[in-house]
Structure formats: structure tokens, C-alpha cells
Amino acid sequence: MLRSKYFTGLPEMVIHYFRFVALEVREILASLGVRTLAELIGRTEYLQVHGGATARQRKLDLTPHPVSAGGMAADAPQFCVTPSNAPFDQGELAERMVRDMRSAIENKSGGEWHYELSNFNRSIGARVSGEIARRWGNYGMEDAPLTVRCSGNAGQSFGVWNAGGLNLYLEGDANGLRRQGHAAGRIVLRHPSRARFVAKDTIIMGNTCLYGATGGELYAAGGAGERFAVRNSGAVAVIEGAGDHCCEYMTGGAVCVLGRTGINFGAGFTGGFAYVLDLERNFVDRYNHELIDISRIHPEAMQSNVQHLEALLERHVAETASVWAGRS
């Protein structure tokens, strides 16, 4: 279990620092005779080889570089002029979901729906959350939840901006599970029941999941990628493994990792709780020691923490049918 040791944030000093940087940038631009950073794009005449280059660096052949070639052509574009690729996903499934659920949202009647996802279906749940929040706010539908059961491979930002009353279940995996501004609701991920691999040893969601969440729940019978629960300030999550930088800048909520984590766990961690199953007894070498304390959970000395952890595990098993959590 981890908890905050101290917090030394000084907002006024941070503001003063950024003002100083902005002033210095303006002075440098003025010395070059330009007013904005955009005017510097493509101006290779301001570039030069650093005089303090090492012997190894001096061996680099810079002749193909625009500086060595006398700069860019006068008519060369300074900005990217190639049109960006139109997104493959036109949001058709998201709009279909809104049409299917609009009546249930307007009447606060709740219900259950089923959808098949592909990895190009992005931001699934965002449009529905928007419709909920527009009519009832972040929490107005919690008493009449919309249960959405999906299968397949979800694209980026599954469950983004999730509002209270929207519960998303996915049997498959998610490219990226974003919950910026997440206020409530529930997201549950599990691998297909026909899968033959061991769920706890398999990644079920990508990087930077649960980013900036402020509430709600996440249960995943599988591992997460890097930077899980970055800036989490109130969400509760149970996963079965994580990559590097898990719980980075976390300020609240609770995260339970039922397996191995990557390095730098809890960097900038200033609040909340984190439980890590340390079967290999080497977590001490993988967490960031700067802002957090670590302690082993002993039932007789920390009964409240044991009860909290047991409740998380019971809910995780109930939602995901996790075999591994059932044994933990």
C-alpha cells in the first residue's frame, strides 16, 4: 500500500517561472528580428554548427543538411502543406448508439444494449456521455444506468469523458482507454471467454489509460500498458499488471495492481492509495521513492486497509469473473 508523504507545490513560483520563460523567448525572438515562433519555421540561416562539438561529433557529415547547403529554397513551404488524412472512422457507430439510447436518456428509463467493435471505432461512449451530461449533468443518470455490452477490439479513447449512469462492458481489448474528465460510471474489460491464454499475463488495454479520471470505476481482467492512472484524482481501478510509470502524478482514488508493475511506479504521487501484489518481493526496486511510503499489509495491524482491499477484489471478481483475482 502506498500513500502520500508530502506535497511541496508552489503555484505562484510556477506562474512566475513560466512568465520568465515567456519573456526570455520574446527577447530572443526580438534579437533575431522576428515577432513569433511561426516566423522561424524554415529559417535555417539561424542554425549553425555548435563550436564545442566533440571529436566524435565533428565526424558527422552535415553537408546534406539545409544549413550546409545554403538554406532552404526561397519558395519552399514553411509549414506542412499536405492535407491530413481523413479519419477512417466517421463516428457512425457512436451516432447509432445515441439514436438507440436517446429515448432512454430523455426518460431516465435505463436499459441494456449490445454492439460489436472494431479497432477503428474511436471514443466509444463519448457521444452518449455528452447526451447524458447535457440533460442531467454528470451524475443524473446513476439511478437509471445505461448498460452497454461490447465485444471485439475497441479503438482509441474507449470510455472517454464517461458520465455517471453509463456502464461500459467490453469482452475483448482496448487500444487505449481514455477517461479524461471521467466523473462516474463503470468500465469493465475481460478477454473473450473462448481465449486460451492466461488473462493475467496478457495486456488488455494500451498506454495512458485512466488519464485524468476524477471518479468512477474500472475493472480489467488483464494488464495495462505504460502510464496507467496518470493524474487520477478519484477513480477506483483494479487491474492485473501494469507497465512503467503507473500511478504517475496521482492525487486521489485507489488503484489495485494484482501483478507485476514496470519501473518508476508512483512518480509524483501525492494522494490516494495503491495496492500492489508483490509476489517476487522486488517492488522496492521499481517504485519511485521520492513522494511515497511503502508498507506491507498485515491484517492485524491494518484492518481497515484489509477490508478496503477485500472489497475491491470482491467487486473485481464479480464484474470480470477473474480467475486470478479469485485466488488472490
Side-chain angles (χ1 to χ4, degrees):
M1 183 188 72
L2 296 89
R3 59 184 181 275
S4 174
K5 182 186 297 182
Y6 55 82
F7 178 59
T8 57
L10 298 172
E12 290 300 324
M13 292 185 63
V14 173
I15 294 174
H16 177 74
Y17 171 77
F18 282 118
R19 286 175 177 169
F20 175 78
V21 172
L23 178 60
E24 186 176 20
V25 170
R26 292 178 64 182
E27 291 175 349
I28 295 173
L29 293 177
S31 69
L32 296 175
V34 298
R35 294 175 59 86
T36 67
L37 289 171
E39 295 177 44
L40 285 177
I41 298 176
R43 301 287 294 274
T44 57
E45 65 269 25
Y46 292 122
L47 299 177
Q48 56 182 305
V49 178
H50 194 281
T54 65
R56 182 177 180 181
Q57 291 169 338
R58 284 193 291 269
K59 295 180 181 179
L60 294 174
D61 180 13
L62 298 178
T63 53
H65 195 276
V67 176
S68 301
M72 299 175 64
D75 58 348
Q78 289 181 281
F79 307 91
C80 178
V81 296
T82 303
S84 60
N85 296 328
F88 184 81
D89 179 19
Q90 301 300 318
E92 296 174 353
L93 178 58
E95 296 302 326
R96 174 187 157 197
M97 292 172 67
V98 169
R99 290 194 301 270
D100 293 346
M101 301 179 204
R102 180 173 284 116
S103 176
I105 295 173
E106 293 174 347
N107 299 319
K108 278 192 174 183
S109 58
E112 183 170 319
W113 292 263
H114 299 257
Y115 299 96
E116 181 73 26
L117 302 183
S118 296
N119 60 5
F120 56 78
N121 296 131
R122 302 179 179 181
S123 304
I124 291 299
R127 283 285 287 114
V128 175
S129 288
E131 294 294 318
I132 293 173
R134 185 164 66 88
R135 291 172 174 81
W136 311 110
N138 286 333
Y139 310 102
M141 286 284 292
E142 288 186 325
D143 294 334
L146 308 176
T147 299
V148 181
R149 299 191 182 277
C150 304
S151 59
N153 309 101
Q156 294 176 350
S157 300
F158 180 74
V160 65
W161 302 306
N162 214 57
L166 179 59
N167 299 330
L168 300 175
Y169 290 78
L170 174 62
E171 184 174 317
D173 55 58
N175 182 307
L177 189 151
R178 296 286 192 273
R179 306 225 293 184
Q180 296 98 324
H182 181 273
R186 185 182 311 123
I187 296 181
V188 178
L189 282 73
R190 58 177 295 178
H191 290 291
S193 56
R194 64 181 180 278
R196 297 184 178 181
F197 48 76
V198 179
K200 72 178 182 65
D201 297 331
T202 308
I203 295 295
I204 199 170
M205 66 183 87
N207 296 332
T208 62
C209 296
L210 208 68
Y211 191 108
T214 61
E217 303 168 280
L218 165 66
Y219 304 98
E226 295 186 356
R227 287 192 161 86
F228 179 80
V230 172
R231 299 192 184 280
N232 174 36
S233 62
V236 173
V238 182
I239 57 176
E240 300 182 357
D244 297 342
H245 317 294
C246 184
C247 294
E248 189 175 31
Y249 307 124
M250 183 168 151
T251 61
V255 171
C256 178
V257 184
L258 301 176
R260 183 180 176 85
T261 73
I263 60 172
N264 202 34
F265 187 101
F269 186 110
T270 59
F273 289 89
Y275 302 98
V276 177
L277 182 60
D278 185 20
L279 293 178
E280 300 174 1
R281 297 280 173 163
N282 59 6
F283 181 64
V284 68
D285 298 322
R286 298 200 302 278
Y287 81 92
N288 188 297
H289 294 240
E290 183 177 355
L291 292 174
I292 53 180
D293 291 325
I294 183 172
S295 60
R296 300 286 177 184
I297 292 182
H298 302 290
E300 61 280 2
M302 308 176 69
Q303 190 62 31
S304 61
N305 295 120
V306 172
Q307 293 174 350
H308 184 214
L309 179 57
E310 287 178 344
L312 290 177
L313 294 177
E314 290 172 0
R315 187 59 178 269
H316 182 65
V317 172
E319 294 290 353
T320 68
S322 169
V323 175
W324 176 241
R327 295 173 51 192
S328 299

